[in-house]
Amino acid sequence: MEKGSLMTFSFEILLLILLLVTAAGAILVKDLMSAILLLGSYSFFLSLVWAWFGAVDVAFVEAVVGSGLATVLFLLTLFGTAPKDSRLRRPPPPMAALVALPLLGILLLYAANDLPQFGDPNSPANVHISPTYLEQSYRDTHTPNVVTAVLMDYRSLDTMVETVVIFTAGIACALLLRRHAS
Amino acid sequence: MVDALSAVFQRPNFLAFVIIFLWGFYIMVTRYNLVKKLVGMYLVQTSVIFFLVSISAKKGATAPILLSTTDPVHAINYVNPLPHVLTLTAIVVGVATLGVGLALCSAIYRRYGSLDEEEILKRLE
């Protein structure tokens, strides 16, 4: 392995370790406020990982919506309820969870052998239909950004109905949060 | 056994996905505090999206924005854009779900004065 690829590999590993550490912090910390701020930094590291993979659009959306909006929503909920209600009890875990989840984990890791290598240009996901989109989207839509072309042109109906989902979520929040509900 | 272990460690993204997914799911099932359950739900959502985006990566490729609009495009130079599109939708819908869950939490707190599952069940009776 030459030096350049070793460096990029270890950079990716470093980002993954930071990701796991912030996720573990958000889970293990007893205070809810610190857990939520750690979750925001987890989200930000996730967007860094995605920018590293070349998924710039996803990284932007995660940085704005995941790291920004979700953290703000969590904080608003904590301020609206009791910020001091952080007596988090850790109940003894149920037997079913202790048996089923490690089994599921072992099954998933056992299946890792059949996955294609990450970053392989000839993996099935990368050779099936996506080259067609990459090669023809500019001719069809005149948009250099292929993600935008697929999102706004090929799948525009899907994106339009997605706004209906968000509208429904907004209405549900408004109905739940109005005062004097009765 | 050694083959399986080396297969896992050659795919560190998959290992990170499995750890975060299962841990978040465990938190969702076992913790009593409702906000903590939503933290677990957020971890599960983002870990699945992380796995999908990992699949789209190609070594030595750049972001799926065409460098030149006149030359013919070689697909091997750009990462796979299709998982990105699907996950963009999934992120926004996931945060909308999270918002509804948090609104439910504060409505429950206003009605029952607690976010602890067992205390809520006690006050329901």
Side-chain angles (χ1 to χ4, degrees):
Chain A
M1 191 182 275
E2 74 265 35
K3 195 166 172 246
S5 72
L6 188 70
M7 234 180 78
T8 55
F9 189 68
S10 61
F11 187 66
E12 192 184 322
I13 297 293
L14 184 72
L15 278 179
L16 286 182
I17 289 173
L18 278 172
L19 201 65
L20 280 177
V21 166
T22 44
I27 288 172
L28 292 176
V29 157
K30 286 214 161 179
D31 182 32
L32 272 183
M33 187 69 81
S34 337
I36 283 156
L37 293 177
L38 276 169
L39 196 69
S41 61
Y42 159 81
S43 210
F44 186 70
F45 281 124
L46 204 57
S47 73
L48 274 186
V49 174
W50 287 338
W52 180 252
F53 287 159
V56 280
D57 304 79
V58 190
F60 272 126
V61 169
E62 177 67 26
V64 172
V65 177
S67 181
L69 185 63
T71 311
V72 168
L73 288 177
F74 267 120
L75 287 180
L76 280 180
T77 313
L78 271 201
F79 286 134
T81 63
K84 283 181 188 136
D85 187 29
S86 53
R87 293 162 285 127
L88 294 186
R89 290 181 296 127
R90 291 219 182 121
M95 212 54 201
L98 275 187
V99 175
L101 288 181
L103 268 183
L104 185 59
I106 288 169
L107 263 181
L108 280 170
L109 292 180
Y110 177 70
N113 211 358
D114 295 335
L115 276 177
Q117 287 283 349
F118 290 119
D120 179 12
N122 296 317
S123 70
N126 290 342
V127 293
H128 182 243
I129 190 103
S130 74
T132 320
Y133 278 100
L134 279 168
E135 281 154 15
Q136 299 190 356
S137 72
Y138 189 76
R139 207 193 56 206
D140 290 347
T141 64
H142 298 284
T143 311
N145 187 336
V146 185
V147 175
T148 312
V150 178
L151 193 74
M152 290 297 173
D153 283 300
Y154 294 108
R155 296 183 64 86
S156 53
L157 210 61
D158 182 50
T159 309
M160 195 184 80
V161 179
E162 189 198 336
T163 57
V164 176
V165 173
I166 295 166
F167 183 65
T168 315
I171 288 182
C173 287
L175 286 178
L176 282 169
L177 291 178
R178 73 186 161 161
R179 309 264 162 188
H180 314 299
S182 52
Chain B
M1 187 65 202
V2 179
D3 277 0
L5 273 183
S6 73
V8 167
F9 282 106
Q10 279 167 4
R11 298 167 178 80
N13 300 341
F14 186 67
L15 185 63
F17 154 71
V18 169
I19 293 173
I20 296 176
F21 179 84
L22 289 177
W23 209 354
F25 196 69
Y26 175 76
I27 292 298
M28 262 174 91
V29 173
T30 57
R31 291 291 192 269
Y32 284 153
N33 188 288
L34 294 179
V35 175
K36 200 75 178 182
K37 276 175 192 282
L38 285 175
V39 169
M41 190 184 86
Y42 186 74
L43 287 177
V44 170
Q45 284 172 350
T46 47
S47 70
V48 174
I49 295 169
F50 167 66
F51 178 56
L52 281 176
V53 175
S54 303
I55 287 176
S56 78
K58 288 180 197 169
K59 269 206 185 66
T62 182
I65 298 168
L66 302 183
L67 296 173
S68 153
T69 52
T70 47
D71 302 340
V73 179
H74 297 293
I76 202 135
N77 293 332
Y78 302 100
V79 296
N80 184 352
L82 298 182
H84 300 183
V85 178
L86 300 179
T87 53
L88 278 181
T89 313
I91 290 174
V92 176
V93 171
V95 171
T97 322
L98 189 74
V100 175
L102 287 168
L104 268 175
C105 277
S106 42
I108 287 173
Y109 184 82
R110 210 180 293 151
R111 182 89 164 70
Y112 296 104
S114 172
L115 283 178
D116 194 301
E117 202 178 61
E118 296 238 304
E119 276 188 41
I120 295 166
L121 282 178
K122 235 181 274 167
R123 280 169 216 196
L124 270 174
E125 283 163 7

